[in-house]
Amino acid sequence: MAAEPWNKLEIAYPGVLSAVRFQFNASTEQCMKCLRKECEKVLKLLKSKVLQTEIRILYALLYVFHHRLRQHKPYQALKKVEQCVNRLRNMRLEAALEDLKGMCPNLPR
């Protein structure tokens, strides 16, 4: 059985950062508020104790059942979930969202 293409895709971390100045008006203020709110939601989810606990449980299950269930399909599906979690950590999404949130102005000047 061939591996899925999404499973082999490597997403490179951006090597260059840039900042752009723009006119701040009522519509951009609304966009900035929405962007900050969504960044805070995602950061709260990524830092939640529930998610971290589930990831630790996943790693423990994979460790315990490695030799017994190595060829079973549910175990292989858990391995794919582990691979996705590892890729999410390698993306350093928390740091990128913190930077983005820090670049957004709080109030118009």
Side-chain angles (χ1 to χ4, degrees):
M1 184 166 106
E4 292 84 11
W6 64 267
N7 209 14
K8 298 295 180 185
L9 183 65
E10 291 292 332
I11 300 172
Y13 192 74
V16 178
L17 298 175
S18 64
V20 178
R21 290 186 161 262
F22 57 90
Q23 186 74 22
F24 199 83
N25 54 31
S27 65
T28 55
E29 179 182 2
Q30 185 64 26
C31 289
M32 289 296 131
K33 285 181 182 177
C34 183
L35 180 65
R36 286 182 63 84
K37 188 171 105 177
E38 295 300 320
C39 282
E40 288 170 2
K41 280 184 188 177
V42 173
L43 284 169
K44 184 178 177 183
L45 177 69
L46 288 174
K47 293 178 180 179
S48 72
K49 291 190 180 213
V50 174
L51 179 65
Q52 300 304 319
T53 303
E54 287 180 356
I55 291 172
R56 284 194 297 265
I57 290 171
L58 172 69
Y59 287 143
L61 284 172
L62 291 173
Y63 180 78
V64 168
F65 293 117
H66 174 69
H67 292 292
R68 283 186 266 172
L69 301 177
R70 189 173 34 206
Q71 300 300 322
H72 291 150
K73 290 196 186 253
Y75 181 80
Q76 292 172 355
L78 287 176
K79 289 292 283 184
K80 287 183 181 181
V81 172
E82 177 196 26
Q83 189 175 25
C84 290
V85 167
N86 289 338
R87 287 185 180 192
L88 180 65
R89 284 190 176 165
N90 289 337
M91 283 173 53
R92 298 185 294 260
L93 188 59
E94 285 183 39
L97 286 174
E98 288 286 348
D99 290 343
L100 179 62
K101 193 173 104 176
M103 284 190 258
C104 294
N106 290 335
L107 296 172
R109 296 172 192 203

